[in-house]
């Protein structure tokens, strides 16, 4: 509330002024007083007075609720001081009941994780090498196809040159200029064929090296798979040993609890 309210002056007028919340007598006067010229202003003033009273009552109730909340907080603090924190006690009991982890098993698990990461990295490297080898194989196939096409073109050129040579000999004689030109073109075609043969031999050598690298990579990948299987088997064995140890510890704990209960019963 703002501390201001409309006041009814008894003459059909309302005044906005600072005042305390109205009491019951003022409200009754506003509602039940008989005024000759009772109009909208009178009804508005009465409703505003009632609203002010209700706001004051709501503020009082809110203050009571806040006080009750503070009392509840204080009671909670006193309860915790007297009996202890239930959540902390429950967490301590759960920690005491949970079996402790084996440090050797944790260390072995870390080593297996590192080995798995290393194997995955090596596998990616081998995949890259395999892609490179496949690219080299495709390149060799392309070169072989091109060599076959060139060999066919060279054979065709040789055949045409031979036919032209024979035709020239038949028409003009052996030393005709066109025969010399055909002989020169034939030598150039033979030189190109020799260059292509050397290029094919070089590609074949490179492909053989790539195949050897691919075979070595496959062998290494097989060795890594064998090592990974051995590591997984060792991890499984360690897990079984750890589970067996935990089970034995749980059985021993249960036996100890039984003995303690029996001792308590005998003491009682």
């Amino acid at each position: 509330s703002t501390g201001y309210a409309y006041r009814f002056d008894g003459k059909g007028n309302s005044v906005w002024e600072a005042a305390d919340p109205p009491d019951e007598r003022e409200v009754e006067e506003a509602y039940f007083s008989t005024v000759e010229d009772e109009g909208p202003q009178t009804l508005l003033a009465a409703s505003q007075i009632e609203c002010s009273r209700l706001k004051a009552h709501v503020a009082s109730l809110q203050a009571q609720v806040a006080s009750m909340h503070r009392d509840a907080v204080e009671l909670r603090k006193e309860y915790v001081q007297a009996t202890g924190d239930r959540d902390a006690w429950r967490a301590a009991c759960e920690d005491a009941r949970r079996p402790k982890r084996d440090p050797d098993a944790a260390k072995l698990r870390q080593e297996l994780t590192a080995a798995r990461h290393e194997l995955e990295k090596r596998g990616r490297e081998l995949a890259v090498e395999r892609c490179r080898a496949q690219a080299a194989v495709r390149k060799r196939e392309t070169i072989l196809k091109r060599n076959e096409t060139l060999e066919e073109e060279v054979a065709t050129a040789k055949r045409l040159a031979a036919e032209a040579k024979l035709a020239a000999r038949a028409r003009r004689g052996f030393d005709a200029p066109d025969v010399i030109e055909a002989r020169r073109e034939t030598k150039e075609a033979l030189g190109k064929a020799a260059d292509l043969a050397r290029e094919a031999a070089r590609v074949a050598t490179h492909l053989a090296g790539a195949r050897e690298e691919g075979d070595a990579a496959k062998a290494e990948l097989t060795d890594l798979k064998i090592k990974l299987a051995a590591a997984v088997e060792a991890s499984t064995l360690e897990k079984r040993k750890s589970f067996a140890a935990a089970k034995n510890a749980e059985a021993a704990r249960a036996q100890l609890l039984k003995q303690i209960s029996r001792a308590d019963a005998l003491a009682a």
Side-chain angles (χ1 to χ4, degrees):
S1 62
T2 59
Y4 287 82
Y6 282 101
R7 288 287 184 172
F8 178 62
D9 58 359
K11 298 179 181 180
N13 300 320
S14 59
V15 182
W16 178 255
E17 60 181 8
D20 296 331
D23 53 8
E24 295 181 359
R25 185 179 59 79
E26 293 177 348
V27 173
E28 291 178 355
E29 288 179 357
Y31 273 105
F32 302 107
S33 61
T34 58
V35 182
E36 296 180 357
D37 55 349
E38 182 177 359
Q41 293 292 332
T42 305
L43 298 177
L44 177 61
S47 61
Q48 289 171 351
I49 292 171
E50 180 66 15
C51 289
S52 300
R53 188 183 66 81
L54 292 175
K55 285 182 180 179
H57 186 59
V58 168
S60 176
L61 292 177
Q62 289 177 349
Q64 293 179 9
V65 171
S67 176
M68 293 172 65
H69 181 69
R70 288 193 297 270
D71 295 341
V73 171
E74 293 296 330
L75 289 174
R76 175 62 180 173
K77 291 181 180 179
E78 293 177 1
Y79 176 77
V80 171
Q81 291 177 0
T83 61
D85 192 355
R86 182 180 60 182
D87 296 334
W89 177 77
R90 182 183 299 164
C93 291
E94 290 180 355
D95 292 339
R97 186 165 57 250
R98 187 182 297 110
K100 296 182 179 180
R101 293 183 176 272
D102 189 3
D104 296 334
K107 185 177 179 181
L108 178 61
R109 191 179 297 105
Q110 293 178 357
E111 293 177 355
L112 290 175
T113 303
R116 186 177 69 252
H117 292 167
E118 187 66 25
L119 290 175
E120 291 176 354
K121 181 180 178 181
R122 185 55 184 166
R124 288 192 293 269
E125 293 176 356
L126 292 175
V128 173
E129 293 294 334
R130 184 172 66 251
C131 292
R132 290 178 180 174
Q134 291 176 355
V137 171
R138 289 193 297 269
K139 184 178 179 181
R140 177 182 177 275
E141 293 176 354
T142 303
I143 292 174
L144 290 176
K145 290 180 180 180
R146 186 177 63 184
N147 290 341
E148 291 176 358
T149 304
L150 292 175
E151 287 176 358
E152 292 177 358
E153 292 178 357
V154 169
T156 303
K158 285 182 179 181
R159 181 173 55 79
L160 294 175
E163 291 176 356
K165 184 177 181 181
L166 292 175
R169 281 182 178 181
R171 290 194 306 270
R172 303 176 186 178
F174 185 76
D175 294 330
D178 54 352
V179 175
I180 296 172
E181 183 66 22
R183 190 179 302 169
R184 185 181 63 78
E185 292 178 356
T186 303
K187 287 182 179 180
E188 291 179 357
L190 291 174
K192 290 182 180 180
D195 293 339
L196 291 174
R198 286 192 293 271
E199 181 67 18
R202 187 180 65 80
V203 171
T205 303
H206 181 69
L207 180 60
R211 284 181 178 177
E212 291 179 358
E213 292 178 358
D215 294 338
K218 286 182 180 179
E220 187 175 359
L221 180 60
T222 303
D223 189 15
L224 290 175
K225 286 182 178 179
I226 293 173
K227 290 181 180 179
L228 179 61
V232 171
E233 186 177 359
S235 174
T236 304
L237 182 60
E238 289 296 330
K239 285 182 179 180
R240 289 178 179 176
K241 289 182 180 179
S242 176
F243 290 157
K247 188 175 181 180
N248 293 334
E250 188 66 23
R253 181 174 174 277
Q255 187 66 25
L256 181 61
L257 290 176
K258 288 182 180 179
Q259 291 179 1
I260 292 173
S261 301
R262 190 178 300 169
D264 292 340
L266 292 175

